[in-house]
C-alpha cells in the first residue's frame, strides 16, 4: 500500500471511530445514505433481486452500528464473460465513445466517466484476451495458485499426483469435461468465463455504499486482485479501483473507492428530480448499481430496474 | 432390445469453490484449537440453483463452513435461498505425506455409506438435504501458508446406468398453463424461509393443470393417488442444456432403492436473476433398472465423485502467503 493511502486509511479509521453514524437523511441533498437508509435500500434490493443476500461476515469485523445479520450485501458466482479492457479496445476501434454512449438517453453517467486521453502505456501491461489465450497453455500445466508467482517451485505439479490410488472411476454416467462437451467448437468462450462475488458494504466515512470484487478464474480458483483490474473499466483501474482489506471478509479485494460516490449519486438524483421524478431512498442501490456498471461493465450482476424509480411502489 | 439404443443419462460433475475466508478460519482453528488432532470435522458447504445460462453454480465453502471457534459467539443461521446447506466432512492431515497417503477410496465409500444409510432409514426422505454430501481432504502448510486439498461429491452408481428417454426445456414439456403455475409454485417455494433451501422436492401436476411443489415425503403419502402426476425436482447447479447436474444421482438412487420405480420424470430446476426460468430448467425422463441387491441395506453401492481439476483428477493447491503472512497480520491488527 502506498504511504499516503495508508495514512488516509488511518485517518479515516479514526474519524469513523469517533463520529457517530449518520442518522439524518441527506440523500437528496448530498447523495449519501444514513445507516438506516442503507438497510432499507438493501432490503429492497434483496427482495427485488433475490440473487443478492445480506450476510454477517467475520464476527470479529462486525460493525456495531449495523444489525448483526445485515452487515453487508453479496451476490455470488456472477459471470464475467469478457475482459472489460478488451471490450473497450474493440469499442474504441469501432469509433465509439467510452462510457458516454450508454444506451441511456439522458447520459448522466457521462459526468463521471471521461473519454480516455491516452491508452498506449496502460494497454501494454494489461493482458488482453489474446494474451490470456497464450498464457492459457502454460497455465494448464500447473495447479493454479493464488499469489503463487514467486513461489512457483513450491507448488507441486498436478501430474505428480495423478492417481497413485487407483481413483480411475470408469463411470459411464459421469459427463466428461463439462465445458468442452457443452460448447464445442468454441469452447474458448467458456474457458474464459470468470466469476465474481460482488459485495456492497456501508462506508461510514463517506456515508455511501462501496462495492468489492472477489474474482475466480475459469477453474474457480481465486483470482489475484491484480487480475481483477482487467475486468474494470480502464478509466478506473488503479485509480478509483484499488486493492484493499475487505471490511467484513478476510483477504485483499478490489474495491471501487467511494470518495466520489456521494457526488455522482447527487448528480443522478438531481437529473431525476429535474425530470419531475421524486427519487425514493429505497431505490438508491438500484441507481448506485447502475452507476457501478460503468466501472465494471462486463460483470453481469443483477440490478433489474423494471419499475418506476421515484413514485412509491407496492413493495 | 430397444433400451440399449437409448443414451446413458450423464450428469455434469459438481465443482467446488473455496472462499479465502475458509482457509483463514481453518488456519486459525488449527493453530488455536485443533493442534495435532486430525480427526474428521463436520463442515458445511453451500450451493444454489444455477442462475445464469452461461455458468454453473458450485459448492461453495466459506469461513462459516467450519465450526466457529469457542472464543466467538456463533450466530450462523444455516441456509438461505442463496446458500442451500450441504453436509460435509473435512479430513485435515498434519503432513503432506499423510495427505497423499489417505485411502481416498475408503473415505469416499464411508461418506457414500452415510447417504445409503439415510436412504434406507428414510431420513433422507424426511430431510432431503442429506442426499448430497461432500468430502474434503486437505493439508494446511502453515509455514508456507499453502493449502493442498481435494473435494469429492459421492454419488451412488446405478448399475446398469440409467438411460435417457427424453430431455428438454421445462417450458416445452409442460403446457403453458402448467408452466405458469409451476413458475409461480417454484418462486413461492424459493421465497418461503421453510423451503427456500430445501433442494429436493416433488412437483405435482393435477389434471386441471395446476402445479404445486411438495416435500419428498409426500410421495409415500400420495402414492397411488391417480389425480396427479409426479415429477421429482431438484435444485440444479448445472447450466448445460442437455445434462442434469450431479445432485440428481442420489435422488435417482433413493427412488430406485426405496420406491422401486423404473420410469422417473425429473425437473432440473434453474433460475435466471433469482427467479424460476423454465427455458433454462429441464425436464427429463430416465429409465432406471433397480440394481439387484439394492433392497439389501448391507450392500453399499459403488460410489464415484472425486472432483476433476481441469478435466483431470488431481489435488489442488492454493498459496495465501501474501494475505496470511503473520507480520502483515500484526500490522493490520494493530
Amino acid at each position: 500500500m502506498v504511504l499516503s493511502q495508508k495514512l488516509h486509511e488511518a485517518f479515516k479509521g479514526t474519524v469513523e471511530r469517533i463520529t457517530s453514524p449518520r442518522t439524518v437523511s441527506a440523500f437528496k441533498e448530498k447523495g449519501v445514505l444514513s445507516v438506516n437508509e442503507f438497510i432499507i435500500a438493501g432490503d429492497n434490493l434483496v427482495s427485488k433481486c433475490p440473487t443478492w443476500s445480506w450476510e454477517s461476515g467475520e464476527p470479529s469485523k462486525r460493525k456495531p452500528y449495523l444489525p448483526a445479520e445485515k452487515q453487508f450485501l453479496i451476490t455470488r458466482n456472477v459471470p464475467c464473460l469478457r475482459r472489460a479492457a478488451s471490450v473497450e479496445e474493440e469499442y474504441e476501434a469501432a469509433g465509439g465513445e467510452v462510457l458516454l454512449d450508454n444506451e441511456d438517453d439522458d447520459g448522466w453517467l457521462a459526468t463521471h466517466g471521461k473519454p480516455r486521453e491516452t491508452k498506449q502505456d496502460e494497454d501494454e501491461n494489461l493482458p488482453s484476451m489474446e494474451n490470456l489465450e497464450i498464457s492459457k497453455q502454460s497455465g494448464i500445466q500447473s495447479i493454479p495458485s493464488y499469489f503463487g508467482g514467486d513461489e512457483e517451485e513450491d507448488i507441486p505439479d498436478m501430474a505428480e499426483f495423478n492417481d497413485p490410488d487407483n481413483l480411475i472411476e470408469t463411470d459411464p454416467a459421469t459427463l466428461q469435461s463439462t465445458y468442452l462437451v457443452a460448447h464445442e467448437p468454441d469452447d474458448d468462450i467458456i474457458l474464459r468465463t470468470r466469476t465474481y462475488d460482488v459485495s456492497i458494504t456501508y462506508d461510514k466515512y463517506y456515508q455511501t455504499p462501496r462495492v468489492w470484487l472477489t474474482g475466480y478464474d475459469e477453474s474457480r480458483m481465486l483470482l489475484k486482485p491484480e487480475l481483477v483490474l482487467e475486468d474494470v473499466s480502464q478509466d478506473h483501474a488503479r485509480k478509483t479501483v484499488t486493492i484493499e482489506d475487505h471490511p467484513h471478509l478476510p483477504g485483499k479485494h478490489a474495491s471501487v473507492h467511494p470518495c466520489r460516490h456521494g457526488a455522482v449519486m447527487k448528480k443522478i438524483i438531481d437529473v431525476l428530480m429535474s425530470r419531475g421524478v421524486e427519487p425514493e431512498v429505497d431505490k438508491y442501490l438500484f441507481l448506485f448499481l447502475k452507476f457501478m456498471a460503468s466501472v465494471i461493465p462486463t460483470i453481469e450482476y443483477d440490478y433489474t430496474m423494471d419499475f418506476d424509480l421515484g413514485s412509491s411502489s407496492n413493495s | 432390445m430397444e433400451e440399449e439404443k437409448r443414451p446413458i443419462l450423464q450428469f455434469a460433475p459438481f465443482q467446488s469453490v473455496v472462499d479465502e475466508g475458509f482457509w483463514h478460519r481453518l488456519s486459525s482453528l488449527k493453530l488455536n484449537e485443533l493442534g495435532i488432532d486430525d480427526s474428521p470435522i463436520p463442515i458445511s458447504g453451500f450451493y444454489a440453483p444455477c442462475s445464469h445460462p452461461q455458468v454453473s453454480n458450485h459448492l461453495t465453502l466459506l469461513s462459516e463452513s467450519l465450526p466457529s471457534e469457542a472464543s466467538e459467539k456463533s450466530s450462523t443461521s444455516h441456509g438461505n435461498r442463496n446458500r442451500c446447506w450441504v453436509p460435509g466432512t473435512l479430513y485435515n492431515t498434519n503432513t503432506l505425506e499423510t495427505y497423499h497417503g489417505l485411502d481416498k477410496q475408503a473415505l469416499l465409500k464411508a461418506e457414500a455409506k452415510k447417504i445409503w444409510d439415510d436412504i434406507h432409514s428414510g431420513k433422507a426422505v424426511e430431510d432431503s438435504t442429506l442426499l448430497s454430501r461432500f468430502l474434503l481432504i486437505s493439508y494446511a502448510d502453515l509455514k508456507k501458508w499453502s493449502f493442498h486439498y481435494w473435494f469429492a461429491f459421492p454419488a451412488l452408481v446405478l448399475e446398469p446406468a440409467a438411460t435417457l428417454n427424453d430431455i428438454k426445456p421445462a417450458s416445452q414439456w409442460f403446457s403453458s398453463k402448467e408452466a405458469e403455475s409451476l413458475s409461480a409454485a417454484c418462486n413461492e417455494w424459493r421465497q418461503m424461509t421453510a423451503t427456500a433451501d430445501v433442494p429436493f422436492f416433488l412437483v405435482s401436476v393435477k389434471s386441471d393443470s395446476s402445479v404445486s411443489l411438495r416435500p419428498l415425503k409426500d410421495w409415500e403419502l400420495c402414492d397411488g393417488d391417480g389425480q396427479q402426476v409426479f415429477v421429482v425436482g431438484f435444485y440444479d447447479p448445472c447450466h448445460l442444456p442437455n445434462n442434469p447436474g450431479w445432485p440428481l444421482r442420489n435422488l435417482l438412487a433413493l427412488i430406485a432403492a426405496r420406491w422401486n420405480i423404473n420410469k422417473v420424470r425429473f425437473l432440473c430446476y434453474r433460475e435466471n436473476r433469482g427467479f424460476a426460468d423454465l427455458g433454462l430448467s429441464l425436464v427429463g425422463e430416465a429409465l432406471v433398472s433397480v440394481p439387484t441387491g439394492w433392497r439389501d441395506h448391507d450392500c453399499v453401492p459403488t460410489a464415484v465423485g472425486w472432483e476433476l481439476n481441469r478435466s483431470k483428477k488431481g489435488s489442488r493447491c492454493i498459496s495465501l502467503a501474501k494475505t496470511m503472512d503473520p507480520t502483515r497480520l500484526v500490522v493490520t491488527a494493530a
Side-chain angles (χ1 to χ4, degrees), chain A residues 40 42 46-47 68 70 79 91-92 100 102 112-113 119 131 150 154 156 164 169 175 205 250 254 264 289:
Chain A
I40 291 167
V46 167
S47 81
K70 291 184 180 176
Y91 201 50
E92 288 196 353
L100 286 172
N102 207 329
H112 186 63
K119 60 166 198 158
N131 293 346
D150 42 353
D154 288 343
E169 294 170 344
L175 181 66
Y205 180 83
V264 174
L289 286 173

Side-chain angles (χ1 to χ4, degrees), chain B residues 177-178 205-210 226-229:
Chain B
K177 213 175 153 203
E178 288 167 349
V205 186
K206 295 227 173 83
S207 47
D208 65 354
S209 297
S210 70
Q227 299 296 301
Q228 47 199 332
V229 175

Side-chain angles (χ1 to χ4, degrees), chain B residues 6 8 15 27 35-36 40 44 98 128 132 143 147 214 220 226 228 252 266 277 283 286:
Chain B
R6 292 202 186 90
I8 285 176
Q15 270 185 299
S27 310
I36 54 160
S44 310
T98 336
S128 65
S132 294
K143 290 194 187 89
F147 303 85
R214 319 173 60 154
E220 288 166 12
Q228 47 199 332
L252 288 184
F266 58 85
D277 184 333
V283 175

Side-chain angles (χ1 to χ4, degrees), chain A residues 178-224:
Chain A
T178 316
Y179 358 84
L180 300 180
V181 170
H183 290 268
E184 266 172 347
D186 54 351
D187 54 273
D188 271 2
I189 292 169
I190 208 73
L191 281 172
R192 253 185 269 110
T193 304
R194 290 178 176 178
T195 58
Y196 277 91
D197 294 347
V198 182
S199 54
I200 305 174
T201 60
Y202 181 73
D203 193 287
K204 196 178 159 212
Y205 180 83
Y206 291 104
Q207 302 170 355
T208 61
R210 176 170 189 172
V211 161
W212 299 81
L213 303 170
T214 312
Y216 297 90
D217 72 8
E218 304 74 10
S219 52
R220 307 302 165 229
M221 296 291 283
L222 273 173
L223 205 58
K224 289 189 210 183

Side-chain angles (χ1 to χ4, degrees), chain A residues 125-240:
Chain A
N125 35 32
L126 282 166
S128 70
M129 228 147 46
E130 286 74 13
N131 293 346
L132 283 180
E133 207 162 4
I134 295 160
S135 65
K136 205 171 72 184
Q137 244 76 17
S138 58
I140 282 173
Q141 313 299 333
S142 67
I143 298 167
S145 68
Y146 180 61
F147 289 154
D150 42 353
E151 284 142 304
E152 204 96 304
E153 69 274 23
D154 288 343
I155 308 296
D157 193 88
M158 202 171 73
E160 281 177 40
F161 305 132
N162 254 349
D163 224 359
D165 10 42
N166 60 4
L167 282 179
I168 299 137
E169 294 170 344
T170 44
D171 170 43
T174 300
L175 181 66
Q176 300 299 318
S177 176
T178 316
Y179 358 84
L180 300 180
V181 170
H183 290 268
E184 266 172 347
D186 54 351
D187 54 273
D188 271 2
I189 292 169
I190 208 73
L191 281 172
R192 253 185 269 110
T193 304
R194 290 178 176 178
T195 58
Y196 277 91
D197 294 347
V198 182
S199 54
I200 305 174
T201 60
Y202 181 73
D203 193 287
K204 196 178 159 212
Y205 180 83
Y206 291 104
Q207 302 170 355
T208 61
R210 176 170 189 172
V211 161
W212 299 81
L213 303 170
T214 312
Y216 297 90
D217 72 8
E218 304 74 10
S219 52
R220 307 302 165 229
M221 296 291 283
L222 273 173
L223 205 58
K224 289 189 210 183
E226 285 75 12
L227 291 176
V228 170
L229 295 179
E230 294 169 0
D231 294 316
V232 168
S233 148
Q234 296 307 291
D235 287 311
H236 298 276
R238 293 174 204 284
K239 292 173 208 147
T240 47

